[in-house]
Every structure is written in structure tokens, then in C-alpha cells.
Amino acid sequence: MLAGGPSSTKAVNRGPFLADVVVVGAGPIGLSIAWRCAARGLRVVVHDPAPGSGASAVAAGMLSPVAEAYFGERQLTELLLASAARWPGFATELTEVTGVEIGYRTEGTLMVGLTGDDLAEARRLWAYQQGLGLPVTPLRPSELRDREPALAPRVRGGALAPTDHQVDPRLLVPALRVAAQRAGAVFVPQAVRHLSDVDAEVTVVAAGCGAAALTGLPVRPVKGQILRLRAPDGVAPGFRHVIRGYADGEPVYLVPRAGGEVVVGATVEERADTTVTAGAVQRLLRAGIDLLPELAEYDLVEAVAGLRPGTPDNAPILGPLPGRPNVLAATGHHRHGIVLAPITADLIADLVLGGASDPLLAPLRADRFGGAGSDGAEPTIMEGDRWS
């Protein structure tokens, strides 16, 4: 491993280690990596005291490479598109292997603006996205309401991103754990405090914000507050598409679930606490109800905050630590941990097994920030992969 050779071959010539691969963190990223590595014949151990208790329990699960294509993030957009293209096969394989439904839906995303100013801001972004060749179809208000009659009459216009899909992270994570276990991965309910304590040929750090203390990488917590509503009597919500938009300048997204749940999110705050604030709840509810008035009659069942692992350029950190080729980072996914799970798992598994470096990894190297990547002196880490 990490010494060349085809990535499809299984591990041979076992070394003097307890495991071929230790994965630190059992969020969607860590679990996907563990599944792919174990399925290729590697001895995989996953360390996390509470798998699935971090960010994945909070995240909305949007697979939105088009709607989340932002100015100045072209390389990240290319990565998002490449991973989203793998999601249909990834979802099918995961469901077949586990028999577990993961809430994968393909209705697409409607991007809308409530006021004239909101629509002008949205159109500026859509023009950029169309300039990248992305599938964005502008829609008049009447065309929007043909697709979603529950939209407020005040909505001034919108666009359709048909290839932006969704999955339910609270179903996805248990399915990934089952898949990894069935492939042979072993789970240890203990946190890793120092990388020197790991007995493995290769260590993969997929610990979300906790990667900073373990590795010295510039991964910071970015707080997000999110709400969950439920339609009256448990019926399906009165809309099918994911709806993303601006309402009097407030960005908001609305994600419908088959069981009647609607996810409303999310704030982006440069903070490290997980306190839910009244102001954030008020802003999210007001924006959501302005776009879909029927939400005013829904039950508010949860308000929760989590921490996304952000990096200075908003892109993930994937690959070996500087000077430590047997320690791989898979962190810093910020808002994109769910959509990037398939491609991250494939790229990291290829590195572990064959040492091959995909060109997609070049701009994501751990040394791109300069001087990062040493073992933290006081590794008091957050446990699990938060908000990915």
C-alpha cells in the first residue's frame, strides 16, 4: 500500500501492524472511506466514540453542486460535480448491500427570489453558473407555481437545477456503518488523542473539526443552526423539490422528506459553540414561511446547531500530510461533506491501496496553506465528523 500498483488489487504482504488502515472519525466521510477500503480487502479499524452523532445528525443532505457553485470556487465546483455524478451508483450500491433506505431523491432544486432585489441577486449567481455550463433553467413565476403550487404568490421568479438531488443523512450514516461492517471493518468506540497511538500502516484522519488538533491543519469550526418541521398529521409536505432562495435578503433552503419532515436551514456563523439562538430560529422561520406560507401550520420539532469543518479556501483537504506519507487527511469539507462522500472515499481508497494520485487531488493537498500538518501538541479533539 502507498507504494504503487493497481488500485483494484487487494492487500497482500501484511505488515507488522494491527490494521492496514485506521480511520479516525465515523461521519459520512470516514464511514464511506472505511467501506471502500474494507471492500477492497484491507483490514480496517474505525475509531469514534459515538458514530453518527456529529454533523450528519444535523445536516440537510442536499446534493447540490449546481446551486452551490459560487464565485471564486471553480475547482471546488468541479469536485462537487464529479462526486454528484457518482451519487446515483453510490446510492444504488449502498441500498443493495445493506437493504437500508437512505432517502435518495431526484426531483431537483428550485432556486427562487422573493423580492425584486432577491431575484436580482439570484440572477447574478445563475448567470455565473450558466457560464460554467451548468444546467440552470430560468423560470417565470407562473412556471414556478406550476411545479410547486404552494410557493408564495409574492415570489418574483426562479430557476430549476434538475441535477441537484438530496439524501437523508440520518438514514445514510447507519447504512454506511452497516456496509462497512459487512465488508469487514471493525469499530472501536474510543477517540484517538494522538496519531502516534495508532497501530496501522495507514491512518486516515476524517475527524471533521477534530482534525485540527490531531494534525495541525487549518480546519476551523463554522457554526450552522438548522430547524426541522413536520407537516400536520404526518402527511407528506406540500412541495416536492428542494427549494433554495432569498427572502428579503435572507438566504434559506427547504428540504422535504417523504415522512412529512421539512428541514429549514441554515445559518453560517464563524463561531465554535452549538447554542441555538432565538434570533436564528426567527430568521429561518420567517424566510421559510415567506417562500412557503403553509409552513406556518407545521410543527416545529427540532432546532439544533452543529459545526462544519471549514478551511481557508472552503475546499476539503485530501491526501498525505507533509512529511508523513502514511497519514492521510480527509477533512475540511465545510458545507459539502454529504455530496463529497463518494468521491472522497474513492480517492482516499485509491491512495491507500495503490498510491495513485488522481489529478483532482492536486489543488486539495494538505500543504497548500504552507506550514500545516504537524501533530497537535494538545489534541483535545471534537469527536466524530461534525456537520459534514
Side-chain angles (χ1 to χ4, degrees), residues 96-265:
E96 290 176 349
V97 166
T98 65
V100 176
E101 170 59 43
I102 61 172
Y104 180 64
R105 295 178 56 172
T106 61
E107 289 90 345
T109 294
L110 288 178
M111 303 177 288
V112 303
L114 181 68
T115 68
D117 288 343
D118 293 331
L119 187 58
E121 179 65 22
R123 282 174 171 164
R124 190 170 75 92
L125 182 59
W126 301 340
Y128 168 74
Q129 293 163 346
Q130 289 174 314
L132 296 178
L134 301 180
V136 175
T137 304
L139 300 172
R140 296 188 299 273
S142 61
E143 294 173 316
L144 281 174
R145 276 180 281 279
D146 285 343
R147 290 179 175 272
E148 294 294 359
L151 279 169
R154 290 179 55 207
V155 172
R156 294 291 297 274
L160 173 67
T163 58
D164 280 9
H165 300 157
Q166 65 150 303
V167 68
D168 188 340
R170 293 185 174 182
L171 301 177
L172 173 67
V173 168
L176 285 170
R177 180 169 183 175
V178 170
Q181 287 176 317
R182 290 184 178 177
V186 175
F187 284 75
V188 177
Q190 296 175 350
V192 171
R193 300 293 175 179
H194 299 271
L195 294 181
S196 58
D197 296 336
V198 175
D199 186 11
E201 186 169 350
V202 179
T203 302
V204 179
V205 181
C209 296
L214 276 176
T215 65
L217 293 169
V219 179
R220 74 188 190 283
V222 181
K223 180 179 177 180
Q225 299 186 57
I226 199 167
L227 312 176
R228 281 178 167 80
L229 313 180
R230 188 165 298 280
D233 302 319
V235 300
F239 63 107
R240 299 179 301 108
H241 298 76
V242 172
I243 295 174
R244 304 175 65 104
Y246 300 95
D248 286 322
E250 186 72 32
V252 69
Y253 59 71
L254 310 169
V255 183
R257 304 277 195 235
E261 181 179 86
V262 174
V263 182
V264 183

